[in-house]
Amino acid sequence: MLLRVLGSAAGGGSPQWNCTCPVCAAVRSRAGLARTQSSVAVSADRRRWFLINASPDVRTQIEAFPGLHPHDDRTTPLEAVLLTDAELDHTLGLLLLREARALRLYATPAVRKTLSADGSGILSTLERYCPVEWRAVIPGDELALADGLSCRAFDVPSSKRARFEAGLEHGRVVGYRLTDERSGGTLVYLPGVQSLTPALRVEIEDSECLLIDGTCWRDDELVRLGLAGRTSREMGHLPIEGQDGSLAQLPSLRVGRTIFVHMNNTNPILLEDAPERRILDEKGMEVAMDGLEVQV
Ligand SMILES: [Zn+2]
Ligand SMILES: [Zn+2]
């Protein structure tokens, strides 16, 4: 299986259009450091691709990746979109795919409800433009995708509620464990995680590669910068640094590669020469860039 990181930044991208924090300023001043918003594409055979989350940058992301370019008859290698939650930075791109002849969408009933007219309305709007075939994602159930590629969603407990939450509790946020039946390779995509509970650890362990929430370096990163009143954890994201941060917890997990994704524009690890980046290097942990490919 091949996974390609289409976008490695959290909502707003890096730099964020209205931000002049030190990291955004540095990213603006150097070439080649900008990142688009969080999404990955996965394929068993490089012919049929599945997106996990559809970011507001999806059009640029598809253009930047020849693997997703259309065929002569206007069909495309894009098979379906899988969603981890109903946040706008993971779902707005669905509206930009409205020219599709039809779209297959994998989401939990809770996420689907939040995207309906009762919630953000993204799904009901999209359905006015193209037929959407919804496949229910049930945490714990193995789903066959294509060509020996399968996935299993798992619940990610979070106290953060999407702005348009429609009320359903179970399945509001999920992560995906992807398996290539032929190679036996497994990979976990977890762009939003508030706390590494024992149940989550079980889902993550023994994967060859973990792509995990790297939103904030410090828990109070946005508070210190005067950009928000809430901590990283309060926004549903486990910080990297600190006693209970992911940096302290991840080394005890049995995983092959650990790659941070979904970095907020304020996170110093976006800069290759930041001291925080050296700390990750020393632990053998990686930071995703748009275009990074992982083969398992
Ligand atoms: Zn996000
Ligand atoms: Zn910024």
Side-chain angles (χ1 to χ4, degrees), residues 16 19-21 23-24 227 265-266:
Q16 181 171 301
C19 189
T20 57
C21 77
V23 180
C24 281
L227 299 175
N265 67 80
T266 51

Side-chain angles (χ1 to χ4, degrees), residues 21-43:
C21 77
V23 180
C24 281
V27 171
R28 273 194 194 98
S29 71
R30 306 180 203 172
L33 270 188
R35 285 169 164 88
T36 62
Q37 296 167 83
S38 180
S39 173
V40 296
V42 193
S43 176

Side-chain angles (χ1 to χ4, degrees), residues 95-106:
L95 294 178
L96 305 180
L97 300 173
R98 67 188 180 282
E99 295 89 358
R101 286 179 180 167
L103 204 60
R104 188 163 14 123
L105 185 65
Y106 292 85

Side-chain angles (χ1 to χ4, degrees), residues 196 217 233 238-251:
L196 281 172
W217 177 261
R233 274 196 183 82
L238 178 68
I240 299 173
E241 190 238 20
Q243 249 189 341
D244 303 319
S246 52
L247 186 63
Q249 295 188 63
L250 289 172

Side-chain angles (χ1 to χ4, degrees), residues 212-219 221 232-233 237-250 260-261 263 267-269 276 279-280 285-287:
I212 188 165
D213 189 343
T215 305
C216 288
W217 177 261
R218 301 177 59 109
D219 196 30
E221 190 166 303
S232 177
R233 274 196 183 82
H237 299 288
L238 178 68
I240 299 173
E241 190 238 20
Q243 249 189 341
D244 303 319
S246 52
L247 186 63
Q249 295 188 63
L250 289 172
F260 286 104
V261 292
M263 277 72 69
N267 192 330
I269 63 171
E276 291 83 356
I279 297 172
L280 296 187
M285 295 175 180
E286 302 167 56
V287 178

Side-chain angles (χ1 to χ4, degrees), residues 250-269:
L250 289 172
S252 66
L253 289 174
R254 284 190 313 272
V255 291
R257 283 169 81 178
T258 300
I259 305 174
F260 286 104
V261 292
H262 197 276
M263 277 72 69
N264 193 57
N265 67 80
T266 51
N267 192 330
I269 63 171

